[in-house]
Amino acid sequence: MKAAKFLLIVIGLSLSTVLMAQEGLISFAMKLGSKLDSMSVKGVDRRYIDAPARPWQLIVRGNVSQTIVSMKNDGTAAGEYYDARTQLRTVPSQHIGLWAGYRGYGIGYTVNVGGDKGSLLTFGATGGAFGLNVRIHTFENSRPTVNIESNLISEKQAEEIANAVLIDPIRVKTVTADGYYMFNGKKFSYAAAYDQSVIQRRSAGSLMAGLMYNYTHINYASDSNCDLVYIMEGLGRVKLWQGSVGAGYAYNWVPAKGLLVNVMAMPMLTFVNKLKAYGYTTNLEEVMADPTFWRTDISDEDWDKWYYENVRITPAGEQTFNSGLSIGFDARASLTYNFGRYFFNAYGQFNNIRYHHNSATGYVNDWFVNTAIGIRL
């Protein structure tokens, strides 16, 4: 009997604890919601910026993106000049996903549904006067466009090189992070243009400040890519870092009720411009001196087997180069249409990163277009 009473007391205390915890969580959620509600319109001119009555957002998002890596090298081999150009152009990739949040603060997830087989990871946070974005794109390319102009090879050989498929693909990773702060947060809203957590009622503009960080890693250093390393004069891996600061202007134009057009333009001063080059030596000239290299009486399969068994690359050290200050440009545009509880948005951005190392130069172009349709709950 005593044991039964004790058990009932324990069960009662447990239920009370659970109920108190639930009440605490509910109370916390209500306080947080009230805080976010007040933050969304705090200090703003309600004639220009207004918060929707329904605070929750459920958004279906789509993304189309492409990365282009171009490398160029002018050099000499066997006393002859050559011009080698390599371009990696991914098939435009498509991603689709869902995002859910309260007053613009939430979480989302996207999956690849077409294009290159790489991965794309994005993060974003926006407020009335600020915006933060991070985009990470990783991909591989086995069919680079390689154009070589030289007296060393025939037009047929150049065409075969241009259409070659690499056994070991070139691996590329790009990371882009940018942040903005708008000085006229009272009348101008960044969030209205890029996450629709508030609504811009009247046209307004703002001076802005921004920071941008770019990182790119290009890696094709493998024995099977010995010929590519050779024509790039021993350059097998490249890491690039760029940090920029800028000031510019953004404008929200409201030509009709519910319609918003945003444009942003910001010159950027790049104060960090670092390149780390990984050098390699190859034995390609030794392999080319072997009579087997020039044989035409063996099958392509046997020749390839012999070739890849003999070519080698060897690490030859690494160097870091720091370039001086440079001027760049950052631009973004957005279109938003609000109709009742629903809204549509599309915006795009383009980034260009350049590098040079001895006679090798190149650039990375990275662009994307995001589209979204959402409902407020």
Side-chain angles (χ1 to χ4, degrees):
M1 192 70 177
K2 290 182 179 180
K5 289 182 178 180
F6 178 75
L7 182 60
L8 288 173
I9 292 172
V10 171
I11 293 173
L13 289 173
S14 299
L15 290 173
S16 299
T17 302
V18 171
L19 291 172
M20 290 175 64
Q22 288 180 339
E23 290 177 359
L25 288 174
I26 294 172
S27 177
F28 174 77
M30 292 179 65
K31 289 180 179 179
L32 179 61
S34 299
K35 181 68 174 178
L36 293 177
D37 289 343
S38 62
M39 286 174 59
S40 64
V41 292
K42 183 179 180 180
V44 305
D45 189 332
R46 299 295 291 272
R47 296 173 302 170
Y48 286 80
I49 302 169
D50 197 12
R54 295 180 174 88
W56 289 96
Q57 296 166 287
L58 182 62
I59 304 174
V60 177
R61 286 180 169 173
N63 174 283
V64 179
S65 62
Q66 185 180 40
T67 299
I68 300 171
V69 179
S70 179
M71 299 178 289
K72 179 180 182 295
N73 190 71
D74 298 324
T76 57
E80 293 285 349
Y81 168 80
Y82 69 85
D83 175 35
R85 302 168 188 265
T86 304
Q87 188 173 86
L88 316 177
R89 181 186 297 267
T90 68
V91 176
S93 60
Q94 299 90 44
H95 291 75
I96 190 169
L98 289 172
W99 187 92
Y102 187 94
R103 296 296 185 200
Y105 296 86
I107 189 170
Y109 181 73
T110 62
V111 295
N112 183 291
V113 294
D116 73 69
K117 300 306 179 182
S119 62
L120 175 66
L121 185 62
T122 59
F123 302 93
T126 57
F130 71 88
L132 298 172
N133 306 280
V134 179
R135 185 170 179 271
I136 304 171
H137 189 196
T138 303
F139 69 94
E140 297 180 351
N141 190 300
S142 298
R143 301 185 67 95
T145 301
V146 182
N147 297 315
I148 299 179
E149 296 178 7
S150 173
N151 294 327
L152 291 170
I153 59 176
S154 65
E155 291 184 6
K156 182 179 179 181
Q157 289 173 319
E159 184 177 351
E160 290 176 350
I161 292 173
N163 297 318
V165 178
L166 300 180
I167 293 177
D168 194 5
I170 300 173
R171 296 170 175 83
V172 180
K173 180 178 183 178
T174 64
V175 179
T176 302
D178 52 44
Y180 308 98
Y181 180 78
M182 310 297 169
F183 292 97
N184 185 20
K186 184 176 181 179
K187 295 182 179 180
F188 174 91
S189 173
Y190 182 91
Y194 292 98
D195 78 0
Q196 294 73 55
S197 57
V198 298
I199 297 175
Q200 185 85 38
R201 299 294 188 187
R202 296 184 180 183
S203 300
S206 176
L207 293 172
M208 65 177 182
L211 292 170
M212 179 173 287
Y213 167 81
N214 289 292
Y215 166 79
T216 301
H217 183 194
I218 307 167
N219 185 7
Y220 50 92
S222 66
D223 290 340
S224 60
N225 290 334
C226 179
D227 48 358
L228 182 57
V229 174
Y230 178 77
I231 65 174
M232 296 304 294
E233 290 197 329
L235 187 65
R237 288 175 63 196
V238 178
K239 289 184 178 180
L240 309 167
W241 294 267
Q242 287 190 329
S244 306
V245 62
Y249 191 78
Y251 191 75
N252 278 347
W253 177 42
V254 184
K257 183 178 180 180
L259 183 61
L260 173 63
V261 180
N262 170 271
V263 290
M264 296 172 54
M266 183 166 57
M268 304 287 291
L269 175 66
T270 299
F271 58 92
V272 174
N273 198 352
K274 185 169 73 171
L275 178 149
K276 190 172 186 178
Y278 295 80
Y280 297 82
T281 59
T282 76
N283 68 339
L284 188 60
E285 291 187 3
E286 297 174 15
V287 172
M288 292 175 66
D290 190 305
T292 306
F293 185 86
W294 305 101
R295 288 181 61 180
T296 58
D297 60 338
I298 58 176
S299 67
D300 290 343
E301 182 178 343
D302 289 339
W303 190 94
D304 288 344
K305 182 180 179 181
W306 170 85
Y307 177 81
Y308 290 115
E309 285 179 349
N310 285 275
V311 291
R312 296 287 183 274
I313 68 169
T314 305
E318 56 191 57
Q319 276 186 295
T320 300
F321 304 87
N322 290 290
S323 302
L325 297 176
S326 62
I327 301 296
F329 195 78
D330 182 27
R332 178 178 286 211
S334 168
L335 173 68
T336 303
Y337 182 61
N338 294 283
F339 47 104
R341 299 170 56 189
Y342 303 92
F343 55 87
F344 168 82
N345 173 260
Y347 73 89
Q349 186 169 340
F350 175 82
N351 297 304
N352 174 263
I353 308 163
R354 295 185 175 273
Y355 74 90
H356 63 85
H357 167 59
N358 295 336
S359 58
T361 60
Y363 62 83
V364 179
N365 284 341
D366 194 77
W367 64 264
F368 67 87
V369 175
N370 287 335
T371 58
I373 185 166
I375 182 174
R376 297 185 176 95
L377 303 173

